[in-house]
Amino acid sequence: MQPQLGTVLGLLVALAWTDLAAQQESSACSLLTTADINAAVPGKVGEPHRTDMGVAPGAASKTMGNCMWKVGDMGMMSVGVMPAATGAAREAGLAKMKEVYDALKAKHWTEERQDFSHGWCSVMTPPASEKDTPIMSGCMAEAKGKAIGVTYLDPKQKLAPGKAKALLDKVIGHM
């Protein structure tokens, strides 16, 4: 499980691969409610925990606003928000994310993806041999000048792209 978890963490680092900071005045925890999450995923949703993350070394910003909720016994929902990168920084961030997805696919993960005008939703499922590795479901988008990620990790259940998109839309609506 450690190599795949490292890849998942690499994806989270890739999200932070920009020269921009998260706004500190508004917590990502205010962007979804427990009821919003309960409507999308099975299992009891725990209290939100603000988990602002550091970004890549050398970036102008220091953190990305992030919030996590425990879901059920082993699941986790998170929302991350930071100012959207532009130009070369944006292209570099997208290229880094593509590298992470390609690395997972090279290890026989499968991707179910739906693109939309300002982002995409996907479900990355590990190979059957990695039964303890979580399925990674979620969406990434640019809206209102921000880069936004909604992610659900669970070892047994995926979050359907339509439900992930509904959560993303709620996040954007609360911004």
Side-chain angles (χ1 to χ4, degrees):
M1 178 171 153
Q2 280 80 11
Q4 286 74 21
L5 186 56
T7 304
V8 169
L9 291 175
L11 179 60
L12 293 174
V13 170
L15 282 172
W17 187 276
T18 71
D19 294 333
L20 302 168
Q23 289 186 348
Q24 294 300 311
E25 64 271 9
S26 176
S27 169
C29 294
S30 67
L31 301 175
L32 278 181
T33 67
T34 301
D36 293 335
I37 299 167
N38 271 327
V41 297
K44 181 181 178 200
V45 177
E47 293 297 315
H49 297 282
R50 186 173 175 169
T51 56
D52 294 345
M53 300 173 62
V55 298
S61 64
K62 301 296 180 224
T63 61
M64 172 177 76
N66 198 53
C67 189
M68 294 182 170
W69 294 260
K70 182 179 183 208
V71 179
D73 291 333
M74 301 195 50
M76 185 268 305
M77 175 69 66
S78 72
V79 172
V81 179
M82 64 190 307
T86 59
R90 179 183 186 277
E91 295 309 312
L94 291 172
K96 194 66 162 166
M97 289 174 63
K98 184 179 180 326
E99 281 180 33
V100 171
Y101 278 85
D102 289 347
L104 289 170
K105 289 183 217 176
K107 294 178 180 180
H108 307 289
W109 285 58
T110 57
E111 180 180 24
E112 175 186 347
R113 181 176 168 131
Q114 293 180 351
D115 294 322
F116 50 94
S117 63
H118 57 282
W120 71 91
C121 297
S122 69
V123 176
M124 294 295 295
T125 304
S129 61
E130 299 293 334
K131 62 184 176 191
D132 294 330
T133 302
I135 299 166
M136 184 172 55
S137 310
C139 299
M140 295 185 193
E142 291 180 57
K144 300 183 181 181
K146 306 289 184 208
I148 305 139
V150 174
T151 305
Y152 178 63
L153 299 174
D154 190 280
K156 295 183 171 98
Q157 300 185 66
K158 70 178 185 177
L159 177 61
K163 287 187 176 189
K165 176 71 165 62
L167 287 174
L168 176 70
D169 290 342
K170 287 182 183 272
V171 168
I172 293 168
H174 288 120
M175 292 174 50

